[in-house]
Amino acid sequence: MRYDERDADELEGLTQELEARYATAQGANLALDLTRGKPGADQVALSDALDGALAGDFLASDGVDVRNYGGLRGIPEARALGAELLGISPEQVMAAGNSSLSMMHLAFDTAMNDGLNGPPWRELGAVKAICPVPGYDRHFTLTESFGVEMIPVPMDAAGPVMDEVEALVDAEPLAKCMWCVPKHSNPSGCTYSDATVRRIAALGQRSPGFVTLWDNAYAAHDFHFPGAELDDVLAHAVEAGVADSVVLFASTSKISFAGAGIAFVGGSANTLAALEARLAVMTVGPDKVNQLRHARFLNGRLDEHMRAHAALVRPKFEAIERVLAAALGGLGIARWTQPSGGYFVTVNTLPGLAKAVVALAGDAGVRLTPAGATHPYGQDPNDDTIRLAPTFAALDEVETATRTLALCIQLASARRLRAAAQAAQAAQ
Ligand SMILES: Cc1ncc(COP(=O)(O)O)c(C=O)c1O
């Protein structure tokens, strides 16, 4: 029975029962952690063959000795790998070091100081960034570090709500960029629809100099194969005559070794030239040895490799779905996403309860990403969004943690509704 259909007495009894169950859960002394989207030890082990993959052969396909300096755009076979991930051609890709986040920083820095698709933002005044929510906290930290104001816009199952994005871009000429995690989004898990991708690709027409930061971190991270299809934002931007308005990112962080993968940036010839010029101030070249061993290890077998990841990751997401459906289904106190790939599930509580639920879970030994982290400045206005990141924990830990979370949602909701019912009774 839905919680909101119970009367005050029923809610009192329910709350007492849940308090007792919560006390028992606390007594179990759990120490579980669903906070960060890190691959599990079994996942990184899938790439152990990287160690020794070069077997003393350090020559890239173009004859370059990868042990030496140089090659800011990356070696051809690494660019081909990035092209496969991003669904574009190798000439549109730069292969870099181990972190796509640092490439996003490079793009932001270039846009701010040198100009990317227009004059430097710092010459325009106080530019603003559009941030679809819920979103990735490190995008927000990066944006804030440049002193750029963030404007949240809502997401639905098709991606950012484009009527709102377009209205914002039209009304606010200094809204000069937007963050996107277009496939198996962090943290909702949605994949942007074709219509949304087309409309995003055309934003550069509405606002000269606009830059879409297209962080395709989960491009190949499907649970089922063939995986979700994502439309080609760069091709649509080219068609719309605004090829320089989209910068794409990806990496092998969740494919090989999270701390020792390779990152990719995609974009037009102008975009890559601008990024390369700024990058040349920072480095003589990327780790091409790592690029070469990744290419030798992954090229031609990416699909097979991602299926092996899926076999390890999918059961954890299925466990979350199973446990949440059994514990919360039909109660009217929570919604949650059922992603077909990626690293995250978003759970929505009743308004105003996410912080309380995360605190209850923490006190019962289950660490969750702080409520609010999914929104700019850590401010979730409805306080209802919780991000679950199950990949690093073992399957039985995911099950136990999710069961505890569900109990905390039940308890927080029952307490809230009981208080409301009692207040309503007192007012009669
Ligand atoms: C959306 C998104 N982008 C980027 C990253 C980090 O990527 P990288 O390891 O390539 O810096 C993550 C990691 O969780 C992520 O979720």
Side-chain angles (χ1 to χ4, degrees), residues 36-38 97-104 135-139 180-181 183-187 215-218 249-254 257-259 261-264 343-344 387:
R36 285 238 77 96
K38 292 194 330 188
N98 78 313
S99 159
S100 62
L101 191 64
S102 67
M103 291 295 105
M104 294 173 222
Y136 177 40
D137 55 350
R138 292 186 192 273
H139 289 164
C180 295
V181 184
K183 189 169 166 187
H184 305 313
S185 198
N186 177 353
D215 177 5
N216 204 351
Y218 301 101
F249 306 92
S251 76
T252 65
S253 291
K254 312 288 173 43
F257 297 156
I262 54 178
F264 308 100
Y343 265 53
F344 307 98
R387 181 183 92 157

Side-chain angles (χ1 to χ4, degrees), residues 76-82 84 262 264 291-302:
E77 47 271 71
R79 296 175 73 185
L81 176 60
E84 183 180 357
I262 54 178
F264 308 100
Q291 291 188 355
L292 185 58
R293 62 186 191 141
H294 270 80
R296 294 233 177 108
F297 178 59
L298 287 171
N299 284 4
R301 55 172 297 278
L302 183 63

Side-chain angles (χ1 to χ4, degrees), residues 68 75 102 105 132 146 155 201 205 218 226 248 253 279 286 356 410 419:
N68 224 320
I75 60 172
S102 67
H105 191 277
F146 282 91
M155 302 249 291
Q205 284 180 329
Y218 301 101
L248 301 86
S253 291
L279 190 59
Q410 290 174 331

Side-chain angles (χ1 to χ4, degrees), residues 31-34 366 392-404:
L32 303 175
D33 189 335
L34 298 187
V366 175
F392 191 66
L395 180 56
D396 61 328
E397 294 176 338
V398 172
E399 271 171 4
T400 308
T402 309
R403 219 170 282 122
T404 308

Side-chain angles (χ1 to χ4, degrees), residues 128-401:
K128 296 169 187 180
I130 301 174
C131 299
V133 292
Y136 177 40
D137 55 350
R138 292 186 192 273
H139 289 164
F140 306 148
T141 307
L142 191 163
T143 308
E144 207 176 351
S145 79
F146 282 91
V148 168
E149 186 189 333
M150 294 176 275
I151 311 175
V153 294
M155 302 249 291
D156 60 25
V161 174
M162 288 310 295
D163 286 348
E164 291 203 24
V165 171
E166 287 166 355
L168 188 57
V169 167
D170 291 347
E172 176 50 89
L174 284 176
K176 278 288 168 245
C177 66
M178 175 162 81
W179 287 105
C180 295
V181 184
K183 189 169 166 187
H184 305 313
S185 198
N186 177 353
S188 78
C190 81
T191 295
Y192 293 9
S193 71
D194 292 356
T196 298
V197 173
R198 273 182 183 276
R199 287 170 77 175
I200 290 173
L203 289 173
Q205 284 180 329
R206 305 178 91 94
S207 174
F210 192 86
V211 176
T212 294
L213 299 153
W214 192 255
D215 177 5
N216 204 351
Y218 301 101
H221 304 65
D222 298 289
F223 297 158
H224 305 279
F225 296 83
E229 288 284 338
L230 178 68
D231 205 356
D232 185 344
V233 72
L234 187 55
H236 290 309
V238 170
E239 265 166 45
V242 288
D244 300 343
S245 71
V246 189
V247 194
L248 301 86
F249 306 92
S251 76
T252 65
S253 291
K254 312 288 173 43
I255 296 175
S256 58
F257 297 156
I262 54 178
F264 308 100
V265 192
S268 69
N270 289 339
T271 299
L272 293 191
L275 294 177
E276 186 178 346
R278 191 139 190 105
L279 190 59
V281 178
M282 301 176 214
T283 179
V284 185
D287 179 348
K288 297 187 298 301
V289 173
N290 197 30
Q291 291 188 355
L292 185 58
R293 62 186 191 141
H294 270 80
R296 294 233 177 108
F297 178 59
L298 287 171
N299 284 4
R301 55 172 297 278
L302 183 63
D303 190 71
E304 173 199 330
H305 189 75
M306 296 317 294
R307 283 173 193 260
H309 275 288
L312 299 173
V313 170
R314 188 178 56 233
K316 297 179 182 176
F317 284 78
E318 287 170 350
I320 291 181
E321 171 58 28
R322 198 168 52 243
V323 171
L324 292 181
L328 301 174
L331 300 183
I333 56 175
R335 293 178 285 120
W336 56 93
T337 57
Q338 290 172 254
S340 62
Y343 265 53
F344 307 98
V345 172
T346 295
V347 179
N348 288 98
T349 64
L350 294 177
L353 289 187
K355 279 202 175 76
V357 168
V358 170
L360 280 170
D363 289 344
V366 175
R367 286 186 61 215
L368 300 173
T369 310
T374 51
H375 287 64
Y377 311 108
Q379 312 265 330
D380 172 7
N382 294 330
D383 185 26
D384 70 349
T385 314
I386 296 175
R387 181 183 92 157
L388 304 184
T391 51
F392 191 66
L395 180 56
D396 61 328
E397 294 176 338
V398 172
E399 271 171 4
T400 308

